[in-house]
Structure formats: C-alpha cells, structure tokens
Amino acid sequence: VQLQASGGGVMQTGDSLRLSCTASGGTFRGYSMAWFRQAPGKAYEFVSAIIWKDGKAFYGDSAKGRFTVSRDSAKNTMYLQMSSLKPEDTATYYCGAFLTPAPDHGLPMRQAYDVWGPGTLVTVSS
C-alpha cells in the first residue's frame, strides 16, 4: 500500500479546504486511515482518523467542530474537509494507515501506523 495526500494550498482565515489521501496498490483493505499534521518547528499532532469498514470517525481537539473526515471506499480515498481555517492550522498534513485492527486509543499514536505518505502543505494567512 502506498498513500498520497493532496489538496493543500494557500488559504485565507475562514476559508474551507478539502484534503484527499488516496491509497494505491490495489483495494485498500486496511483497518483505518488517519490525518496528522506538523506545523513548522512543532511536534506531530493527531488530527483525525476513520475506521475504514464502518466510517467511525475520531478527532483531535484542534479538529473538533471544524474538520470532518470521510472516506470513499470505491476510490480508496480518505478526505479531510476543513472549514473556518485559522493561521494555526498552517502545517504539513500527512495521512497514515493502520493495516491491522487497532484499539481506539491507539489511533492518535503516530508511531503505531504502518504506512505513511508524503505530506501536503496547508498555509493559512491572516
């Protein structure tokens, strides 16, 4: 499995943006996918995760109420719809995949993911 994130860009405060993460190498049969982000000079931050089979979603504190994760199984693609963007959302956004079942509390743990793709940069200006 290979992952490719896309959709980043330069935005204004209050804008909306949708990121995509597409899995290649055949039908994605993993357990879950997730979004993490890393702002310049800061640690990685869990943004959101989705259980592939049933679409159950999880969010980090910074994403709750503003971001929505979804997936299209037919397209092997996960999405992150971001709204009310703020300058503090500026970061490189990465998508990762858990290939085998994992407990819910493990989903925010970046080091536990099996596969990562290159990130996509989101810049939000004030």
Side-chain angles (χ1 to χ4, degrees):
V1 174
Q2 293 182 318
L3 303 177
Q4 180 66 56
S6 62
V10 180
M11 312 302 293
Q12 301 283 337
T13 296
D15 282 350
S16 296
L17 183 68
R18 189 178 77 163
L19 303 182
S20 301
C21 174
T22 300
S24 60
T27 301
F28 181 71
R29 303 186 187 281
Y31 178 71
S32 66
M33 284 194 188
W35 291 100
F36 284 74
R37 68 184 184 184
Q38 187 178 33
K42 296 189 177 181
Y44 285 94
E45 177 187 11
F46 172 71
V47 177
S48 184
I50 189 164
I51 306 302
W52 204 253
K53 183 178 181 179
D54 61 12
K56 184 178 180 181
F58 302 82
Y59 297 96
D61 289 341
S62 62
K64 291 177 182 176
R66 297 190 300 128
F67 295 178
T68 302
V69 67
S70 62
R71 89 273 190 250
D72 184 333
S73 300
K75 295 182 179 180
N76 278 357
T77 299
M78 172 182 64
Y79 302 99
L80 184 68
Q81 180 67 48
M82 304 187 292
S83 61
S84 302
L85 285 168
K86 306 174 183 179
E88 49 264 46
D89 293 319
T90 295
T92 300
Y93 286 71
Y94 299 90
C95 58
F98 252 116
L99 301 182
T100 55
D104 291 353
H105 66 261
L107 296 176
M109 298 171 63
R110 180 181 177 274
Q111 63 273 23
Y113 281 75
D114 300 303
V115 182
W116 289 98
T120 186
L121 178 62
V122 175
T123 302
V124 184
S125 60
S126 57

PDB file of all heavy atoms in Angstrom, residues 65-95:
ATOM      1  N   GLY A  65     -15.358  20.021  15.597  1.00  0.00           N
ATOM      2  CA  GLY A  65     -16.271  21.099  15.264  1.00  0.00           C
ATOM      3  C   GLY A  65     -15.942  21.835  13.977  1.00  0.00           C
ATOM      4  O   GLY A  65     -16.773  22.579  13.457  1.00  0.00           O
ATOM      5  N   ARG A  66     -14.729  21.669  13.460  1.00  0.00           N
ATOM      6  CA  ARG A  66     -14.334  22.385  12.226  1.00  0.00           C
ATOM      7  C   ARG A  66     -13.963  21.459  11.086  1.00  0.00           C
ATOM      8  O   ARG A  66     -14.107  21.827   9.919  1.00  0.00           O
ATOM      9  CB  ARG A  66     -13.164  23.327  12.515  1.00  0.00           C
ATOM     10  CG  ARG A  66     -13.467  24.432  13.498  1.00  0.00           C
ATOM     11  CD  ARG A  66     -12.316  25.447  13.533  1.00  0.00           C
ATOM     12  NE  ARG A  66     -11.060  24.826  13.926  1.00  0.00           N
ATOM     13  CZ  ARG A  66      -9.922  24.928  13.235  1.00  0.00           C
ATOM     14  NH1 ARG A  66      -9.908  25.601  12.095  1.00  0.00           N
ATOM     15  NH2 ARG A  66      -8.825  24.342  13.663  1.00  0.00           N
ATOM     16  N   PHE A  67     -13.451  20.294  11.408  1.00  0.00           N
ATOM     17  CA  PHE A  67     -12.984  19.366  10.385  1.00  0.00           C
ATOM     18  C   PHE A  67     -13.886  18.136  10.365  1.00  0.00           C
ATOM     19  O   PHE A  67     -14.417  17.723  11.405  1.00  0.00           O
ATOM     20  CB  PHE A  67     -11.555  18.912  10.673  1.00  0.00           C
ATOM     21  CG  PHE A  67     -10.511  19.993  10.613  1.00  0.00           C
ATOM     22  CD1 PHE A  67      -9.190  19.686  10.900  1.00  0.00           C
ATOM     23  CD2 PHE A  67     -10.831  21.300  10.284  1.00  0.00           C
ATOM     24  CE1 PHE A  67      -8.206  20.661  10.856  1.00  0.00           C
ATOM     25  CE2 PHE A  67      -9.867  22.283  10.245  1.00  0.00           C
ATOM     26  CZ  PHE A  67      -8.537  21.967  10.529  1.00  0.00           C
ATOM     27  N   THR A  68     -14.034  17.557   9.169  1.00  0.00           N
ATOM     28  CA  THR A  68     -14.808  16.330   9.012  1.00  0.00           C
ATOM     29  C   THR A  68     -14.021  15.347   8.161  1.00  0.00           C
ATOM     30  O   THR A  68     -13.588  15.696   7.052  1.00  0.00           O
ATOM     31  CB  THR A  68     -16.163  16.612   8.347  1.00  0.00           C
ATOM     32  OG1 THR A  68     -16.897  17.559   9.125  1.00  0.00           O
ATOM     33  CG2 THR A  68     -16.980  15.328   8.223  1.00  0.00           C
ATOM     34  N   VAL A  69     -13.835  14.147   8.683  1.00  0.00           N
ATOM     35  CA  VAL A  69     -13.145  13.098   7.941  1.00  0.00           C
ATOM     36  C   VAL A  69     -14.178  12.176   7.316  1.00  0.00           C
ATOM     37  O   VAL A  69     -15.234  11.915   7.905  1.00  0.00           O
ATOM     38  CB  VAL A  69     -12.176  12.328   8.863  1.00  0.00           C
ATOM     39  CG1 VAL A  69     -12.920  11.530   9.924  1.00  0.00           C
ATOM     40  CG2 VAL A  69     -11.254  11.428   8.050  1.00  0.00           C
ATOM     41  N   SER A  70     -13.871  11.695   6.134  1.00  0.00           N
ATOM     42  CA  SER A  70     -14.759  10.757   5.445  1.00  0.00           C
ATOM     43  C   SER A  70     -13.914   9.880   4.538  1.00  0.00           C
ATOM     44  O   SER A  70     -12.720  10.113   4.374  1.00  0.00           O
ATOM     45  CB  SER A  70     -15.824  11.510   4.635  1.00  0.00           C
ATOM     46  OG  SER A  70     -15.222  12.307   3.626  1.00  0.00           O
ATOM     47  N   ARG A  71     -14.548   8.845   3.995  1.00  0.00           N
ATOM     48  CA  ARG A  71     -13.822   8.004   3.040  1.00  0.00           C
ATOM     49  C   ARG A  71     -14.769   7.530   1.955  1.00  0.00           C
ATOM     50  O   ARG A  71     -15.971   7.397   2.168  1.00  0.00           O
ATOM     51  CB  ARG A  71     -13.127   6.816   3.734  1.00  0.00           C
ATOM     52  CG  ARG A  71     -13.974   5.542   3.868  1.00  0.00           C
ATOM     53  CD  ARG A  71     -14.794   5.547   5.080  1.00  0.00           C
ATOM     54  NE  ARG A  71     -15.433   4.260   5.349  1.00  0.00           N
ATOM     55  CZ  ARG A  71     -16.730   4.059   5.241  1.00  0.00           C
ATOM     56  NH1 ARG A  71     -17.532   5.051   4.815  1.00  0.00           N
ATOM     57  NH2 ARG A  71     -17.261   2.892   5.540  1.00  0.00           N
ATOM     58  N   ASP A  72     -14.156   7.277   0.794  1.00  0.00           N
ATOM     59  CA  ASP A  72     -14.882   6.696  -0.338  1.00  0.00           C
ATOM     60  C   ASP A  72     -14.164   5.395  -0.669  1.00  0.00           C
ATOM     61  O   ASP A  72     -13.096   5.417  -1.286  1.00  0.00           O
ATOM     62  CB  ASP A  72     -14.863   7.670  -1.524  1.00  0.00           C
ATOM     63  CG  ASP A  72     -15.685   7.168  -2.692  1.00  0.00           C
ATOM     64  OD1 ASP A  72     -15.845   5.938  -2.848  1.00  0.00           O
ATOM     65  OD2 ASP A  72     -16.157   8.005  -3.471  1.00  0.00           O
ATOM     66  N   SER A  73     -14.741   4.301  -0.229  1.00  0.00           N
ATOM     67  CA  SER A  73     -14.081   3.003  -0.400  1.00  0.00           C
ATOM     68  C   SER A  73     -13.867   2.657  -1.865  1.00  0.00           C
ATOM     69  O   SER A  73     -12.855   2.062  -2.223  1.00  0.00           O
ATOM     70  CB  SER A  73     -14.913   1.915   0.273  1.00  0.00           C
ATOM     71  OG  SER A  73     -15.058   2.176   1.649  1.00  0.00           O
ATOM     72  N   ALA A  74     -14.797   3.043  -2.703  1.00  0.00           N
ATOM     73  CA  ALA A  74     -14.685   2.731  -4.129  1.00  0.00           C
ATOM     74  C   ALA A  74     -13.486   3.425  -4.756  1.00  0.00           C
ATOM     75  O   ALA A  74     -12.933   2.945  -5.749  1.00  0.00           O
ATOM     76  CB  ALA A  74     -15.958   3.113  -4.856  1.00  0.00           C
ATOM     77  N   LYS A  75     -13.105   4.552  -4.179  1.00  0.00           N
ATOM     78  CA  LYS A  75     -11.975   5.311  -4.716  1.00  0.00           C
ATOM     79  C   LYS A  75     -10.717   5.142  -3.878  1.00  0.00           C
ATOM     80  O   LYS A  75      -9.700   5.787  -4.154  1.00  0.00           O
ATOM     81  CB  LYS A  75     -12.340   6.797  -4.789  1.00  0.00           C
ATOM     82  CG  LYS A  75     -13.468   7.112  -5.764  1.00  0.00           C
ATOM     83  CD  LYS A  75     -13.740   8.606  -5.825  1.00  0.00           C
ATOM     84  CE  LYS A  75     -14.856   8.901  -6.828  1.00  0.00           C
ATOM     85  NZ  LYS A  75     -15.145  10.364  -6.911  1.00  0.00           N
ATOM     86  N   ASN A  76     -10.779   4.299  -2.857  1.00  0.00           N
ATOM     87  CA  ASN A  76      -9.609   4.096  -1.982  1.00  0.00           C
ATOM     88  C   ASN A  76      -9.115   5.422  -1.414  1.00  0.00           C
ATOM     89  O   ASN A  76      -7.909   5.600  -1.229  1.00  0.00           O
ATOM     90  CB  ASN A  76      -8.458   3.435  -2.763  1.00  0.00           C
ATOM     91  CG  ASN A  76      -8.597   1.942  -2.879  1.00  0.00           C
ATOM     92  OD1 ASN A  76      -9.519   1.348  -2.331  1.00  0.00           O
ATOM     93  ND2 ASN A  76      -7.684   1.322  -3.601  1.00  0.00           N
ATOM     94  N   THR A  77     -10.026   6.312  -1.117  1.00  0.00           N
ATOM     95  CA  THR A  77      -9.636   7.676  -0.755  1.00  0.00           C
ATOM     96  C   THR A  77     -10.293   8.132   0.539  1.00  0.00           C
ATOM     97  O   THR A  77     -11.483   7.907   0.752  1.00  0.00           O
ATOM     98  CB  THR A  77      -9.990   8.654  -1.887  1.00  0.00           C
ATOM     99  OG1 THR A  77      -9.285   8.273  -3.071  1.00  0.00           O
ATOM    100  CG2 THR A  77      -9.598  10.079  -1.526  1.00  0.00           C
ATOM    101  N   MET A  78      -9.479   8.760   1.379  1.00  0.00           N
ATOM    102  CA  MET A  78      -9.948   9.414   2.589  1.00  0.00           C
ATOM    103  C   MET A  78      -9.889  10.920   2.366  1.00  0.00           C
ATOM    104  O   MET A  78      -8.992  11.411   1.682  1.00  0.00           O
ATOM    105  CB  MET A  78      -9.046   9.032   3.768  1.00  0.00           C
ATOM    106  CG  MET A  78      -9.316   9.810   5.037  1.00  0.00           C
ATOM    107  SD  MET A  78      -8.192   9.373   6.406  1.00  0.00           S
ATOM    108  CE  MET A  78      -6.616   9.887   5.777  1.00  0.00           C
ATOM    109  N   TYR A  79     -10.843  11.622   2.955  1.00  0.00           N
ATOM    110  CA  TYR A  79     -10.905  13.073   2.803  1.00  0.00           C
ATOM    111  C   TYR A  79     -10.864  13.751   4.168  1.00  0.00           C
ATOM    112  O   TYR A  79     -11.270  13.180   5.174  1.00  0.00           O
ATOM    113  CB  TYR A  79     -12.195  13.485   2.088  1.00  0.00           C
ATOM    114  CG  TYR A  79     -12.376  12.869   0.736  1.00  0.00           C
ATOM    115  CD1 TYR A  79     -13.197  11.749   0.571  1.00  0.00           C
ATOM    116  CD2 TYR A  79     -11.735  13.393  -0.376  1.00  0.00           C
ATOM    117  CE1 TYR A  79     -13.370  11.175  -0.672  1.00  0.00           C
ATOM    118  CE2 TYR A  79     -11.902  12.820  -1.628  1.00  0.00           C
ATOM    119  CZ  TYR A  79     -12.720  11.711  -1.764  1.00  0.00           C
ATOM    120  OH  TYR A  79     -12.886  11.143  -3.013  1.00  0.00           O
ATOM    121  N   LEU A  80     -10.400  14.984   4.160  1.00  0.00           N
ATOM    122  CA  LEU A  80     -10.488  15.821   5.349  1.00  0.00           C
ATOM    123  C   LEU A  80     -11.059  17.159   4.897  1.00  0.00           C
ATOM    124  O   LEU A  80     -10.369  17.929   4.216  1.00  0.00           O
ATOM    125  CB  LEU A  80      -9.132  16.026   6.020  1.00  0.00           C
ATOM    126  CG  LEU A  80      -9.179  16.811   7.327  1.00  0.00           C
ATOM    127  CD1 LEU A  80      -9.895  15.989   8.418  1.00  0.00           C
ATOM    128  CD2 LEU A  80      -7.767  17.187   7.789  1.00  0.00           C
ATOM    129  N   GLN A  81     -12.301  17.398   5.238  1.00  0.00           N
ATOM    130  CA  GLN A  81     -12.939  18.670   4.933  1.00  0.00           C
ATOM    131  C   GLN A  81     -12.669  19.617   6.084  1.00  0.00           C
ATOM    132  O   GLN A  81     -13.077  19.361   7.215  1.00  0.00           O
ATOM    133  CB  GLN A  81     -14.446  18.492   4.759  1.00  0.00           C
ATOM    134  CG  GLN A  81     -15.182  19.785   4.429  1.00  0.00           C
ATOM    135  CD  GLN A  81     -14.818  20.332   3.065  1.00  0.00           C
ATOM    136  OE1 GLN A  81     -14.812  19.613   2.068  1.00  0.00           O
ATOM    137  NE2 GLN A  81     -14.497  21.628   3.026  1.00  0.00           N
ATOM    138  N   MET A  82     -11.960  20.681   5.799  1.00  0.00           N
ATOM    139  CA  MET A  82     -11.582  21.649   6.822  1.00  0.00           C
ATOM    140  C   MET A  82     -12.341  22.950   6.584  1.00  0.00           C
ATOM    141  O   MET A  82     -12.371  23.445   5.445  1.00  0.00           O
ATOM    142  CB  MET A  82     -10.076  21.901   6.781  1.00  0.00           C
ATOM    143  CG  MET A  82      -9.243  20.632   6.933  1.00  0.00           C
ATOM    144  SD  MET A  82      -7.475  20.960   7.074  1.00  0.00           S
ATOM    145  CE  MET A  82      -7.129  21.557   5.426  1.00  0.00           C
ATOM    146  N   SER A  83     -12.923  23.482   7.607  1.00  0.00           N
ATOM    147  CA  SER A  83     -13.636  24.746   7.486  1.00  0.00           C
ATOM    148  C   SER A  83     -13.156  25.707   8.572  1.00  0.00           C
ATOM    149  O   SER A  83     -12.472  25.316   9.507  1.00  0.00           O
ATOM    150  CB  SER A  83     -15.147  24.521   7.600  1.00  0.00           C
ATOM    151  OG  SER A  83     -15.478  23.974   8.859  1.00  0.00           O
ATOM    152  N   SER A  84     -13.534  26.970   8.412  1.00  0.00           N
ATOM    153  CA  SER A  84     -13.139  28.014   9.365  1.00  0.00           C
ATOM    154  C   SER A  84     -11.651  27.943   9.663  1.00  0.00           C
ATOM    155  O   SER A  84     -11.225  27.940  10.825  1.00  0.00           O
ATOM    156  CB  SER A  84     -13.950  27.884  10.659  1.00  0.00           C
ATOM    157  OG  SER A  84     -15.330  27.972  10.401  1.00  0.00           O
ATOM    158  N   LEU A  85     -10.863  27.877   8.610  1.00  0.00           N
ATOM    159  CA  LEU A  85      -9.421  27.730   8.782  1.00  0.00           C
ATOM    160  C   LEU A  85      -8.829  28.917   9.539  1.00  0.00           C
ATOM    161  O   LEU A  85      -9.268  30.067   9.392  1.00  0.00           O
ATOM    162  CB  LEU A  85      -8.739  27.576   7.426  1.00  0.00           C
ATOM    163  CG  LEU A  85      -8.904  26.206   6.766  1.00  0.00           C
ATOM    164  CD1 LEU A  85      -8.458  26.246   5.316  1.00  0.00           C
ATOM    165  CD2 LEU A  85      -8.128  25.155   7.540  1.00  0.00           C
ATOM    166  N   LYS A  86      -7.812  28.609  10.347  1.00  0.00           N
ATOM    167  CA  LYS A  86      -7.120  29.602  11.151  1.00  0.00           C
ATOM    168  C   LYS A  86      -5.633  29.552  10.821  1.00  0.00           C
ATOM    169  O   LYS A  86      -5.132  28.518  10.353  1.00  0.00           O
ATOM    170  CB  LYS A  86      -7.303  29.290  12.634  1.00  0.00           C
ATOM    171  CG  LYS A  86      -8.735  29.125  13.088  1.00  0.00           C
ATOM    172  CD  LYS A  86      -8.783  28.664  14.542  1.00  0.00           C
ATOM    173  CE  LYS A  86     -10.210  28.433  15.001  1.00  0.00           C
ATOM    174  NZ  LYS A  86     -10.269  27.951  16.411  1.00  0.00           N
ATOM    175  N   PRO A  87      -4.919  30.626  11.091  1.00  0.00           N
ATOM    176  CA  PRO A  87      -3.471  30.597  10.845  1.00  0.00           C
ATOM    177  C   PRO A  87      -2.780  29.440  11.573  1.00  0.00           C
ATOM    178  O   PRO A  87      -1.801  28.883  11.044  1.00  0.00           O
ATOM    179  CB  PRO A  87      -3.001  31.953  11.376  1.00  0.00           C
ATOM    180  CG  PRO A  87      -4.185  32.842  11.165  1.00  0.00           C
ATOM    181  CD  PRO A  87      -5.377  31.967  11.468  1.00  0.00           C
ATOM    182  N   GLU A  88      -3.288  29.060  12.732  1.00  0.00           N
ATOM    183  CA  GLU A  88      -2.666  27.961  13.475  1.00  0.00           C
ATOM    184  C   GLU A  88      -2.913  26.594  12.834  1.00  0.00           C
ATOM    185  O   GLU A  88      -2.364  25.586  13.286  1.00  0.00           O
ATOM    186  CB  GLU A  88      -3.137  27.952  14.935  1.00  0.00           C
ATOM    187  CG  GLU A  88      -4.631  28.051  15.118  1.00  0.00           C
ATOM    188  CD  GLU A  88      -5.091  29.477  15.386  1.00  0.00           C
ATOM    189  OE1 GLU A  88      -4.627  30.402  14.671  1.00  0.00           O
ATOM    190  OE2 GLU A  88      -5.930  29.660  16.301  1.00  0.00           O
ATOM    191  N   ASP A  89      -3.721  26.541  11.781  1.00  0.00           N
ATOM    192  CA  ASP A  89      -3.878  25.299  11.025  1.00  0.00           C
ATOM    193  C   ASP A  89      -2.761  25.131   9.999  1.00  0.00           C
ATOM    194  O   ASP A  89      -2.682  24.077   9.342  1.00  0.00           O
ATOM    195  CB  ASP A  89      -5.230  25.281  10.297  1.00  0.00           C
ATOM    196  CG  ASP A  89      -6.405  25.221  11.248  1.00  0.00           C
ATOM    197  OD1 ASP A  89      -6.325  24.476  12.255  1.00  0.00           O
ATOM    198  OD2 ASP A  89      -7.403  25.922  11.008  1.00  0.00           O
ATOM    199  N   THR A  90      -1.924  26.126   9.866  1.00  0.00           N
ATOM    200  CA  THR A  90      -0.801  26.039   8.939  1.00  0.00           C
ATOM    201  C   THR A  90       0.112  24.897   9.342  1.00  0.00           C
ATOM    202  O   THR A  90       0.618  24.861  10.469  1.00  0.00           O
ATOM    203  CB  THR A  90      -0.019  27.354   8.912  1.00  0.00           C
ATOM    204  OG1 THR A  90      -0.866  28.387   8.365  1.00  0.00           O
ATOM    205  CG2 THR A  90       1.237  27.228   8.075  1.00  0.00           C
ATOM    206  N   ALA A  91       0.308  23.951   8.425  1.00  0.00           N
ATOM    207  CA  ALA A  91       1.101  22.764   8.723  1.00  0.00           C
ATOM    208  C   ALA A  91       1.202  21.909   7.470  1.00  0.00           C
ATOM    209  O   ALA A  91       0.470  22.123   6.498  1.00  0.00           O
ATOM    210  CB  ALA A  91       0.451  21.945   9.841  1.00  0.00           C
ATOM    211  N   THR A  92       2.096  20.954   7.537  1.00  0.00           N
ATOM    212  CA  THR A  92       2.105  19.896   6.539  1.00  0.00           C
ATOM    213  C   THR A  92       1.228  18.766   7.065  1.00  0.00           C
ATOM    214  O   THR A  92       1.415  18.316   8.200  1.00  0.00           O
ATOM    215  CB  THR A  92       3.516  19.382   6.262  1.00  0.00           C
ATOM    216  OG1 THR A  92       4.314  20.475   5.774  1.00  0.00           O
ATOM    217  CG2 THR A  92       3.503  18.285   5.223  1.00  0.00           C
ATOM    218  N   TYR A  93       0.287  18.359   6.251  1.00  0.00           N
ATOM    219  CA  TYR A  93      -0.682  17.330   6.639  1.00  0.00           C
ATOM    220  C   TYR A  93      -0.273  16.002   6.002  1.00  0.00           C
ATOM    221  O   TYR A  93      -0.021  15.929   4.791  1.00  0.00           O
ATOM    222  CB  TYR A  93      -2.083  17.737   6.194  1.00  0.00           C
ATOM    223  CG  TYR A  93      -2.672  18.837   7.045  1.00  0.00           C
ATOM    224  CD1 TYR A  93      -2.175  20.135   6.973  1.00  0.00           C
ATOM    225  CD2 TYR A  93      -3.691  18.579   7.948  1.00  0.00           C
ATOM    226  CE1 TYR A  93      -2.686  21.153   7.769  1.00  0.00           C
ATOM    227  CE2 TYR A  93      -4.221  19.573   8.745  1.00  0.00           C
ATOM    228  CZ  TYR A  93      -3.715  20.860   8.654  1.00  0.00           C
ATOM    229  OH  TYR A  93      -4.225  21.859   9.453  1.00  0.00           O
ATOM    230  N   TYR A  94      -0.220  14.986   6.851  1.00  0.00           N
ATOM    231  CA  TYR A  94       0.184  13.652   6.424  1.00  0.00           C
ATOM    232  C   TYR A  94      -0.951  12.664   6.650  1.00  0.00           C
ATOM    233  O   TYR A  94      -1.689  12.776   7.641  1.00  0.00           O
ATOM    234  CB  TYR A  94       1.390  13.175   7.216  1.00  0.00           C
ATOM    235  CG  TYR A  94       2.622  14.025   7.063  1.00  0.00           C
ATOM    236  CD1 TYR A  94       2.862  15.096   7.918  1.00  0.00           C
ATOM    237  CD2 TYR A  94       3.581  13.738   6.086  1.00  0.00           C
ATOM    238  CE1 TYR A  94       4.003  15.877   7.785  1.00  0.00           C
ATOM    239  CE2 TYR A  94       4.726  14.507   5.955  1.00  0.00           C
ATOM    240  CZ  TYR A  94       4.929  15.568   6.807  1.00  0.00           C
ATOM    241  OH  TYR A  94       6.060  16.346   6.681  1.00  0.00           O
ATOM    242  N   CYS A  95      -1.043  11.670   5.766  1.00  0.00           N
ATOM    243  CA  CYS A  95      -2.003  10.600   6.017  1.00  0.00           C
ATOM    244  C   CYS A  95      -1.253   9.297   6.250  1.00  0.00           C
ATOM    245  O   CYS A  95      -0.198   9.048   5.662  1.00  0.00           O
ATOM    246  CB  CYS A  95      -3.000  10.448   4.888  1.00  0.00           C
ATOM    247  SG  CYS A  95      -2.319  10.121   3.246  1.00  0.00           S
TER     248      CYS A  95
END
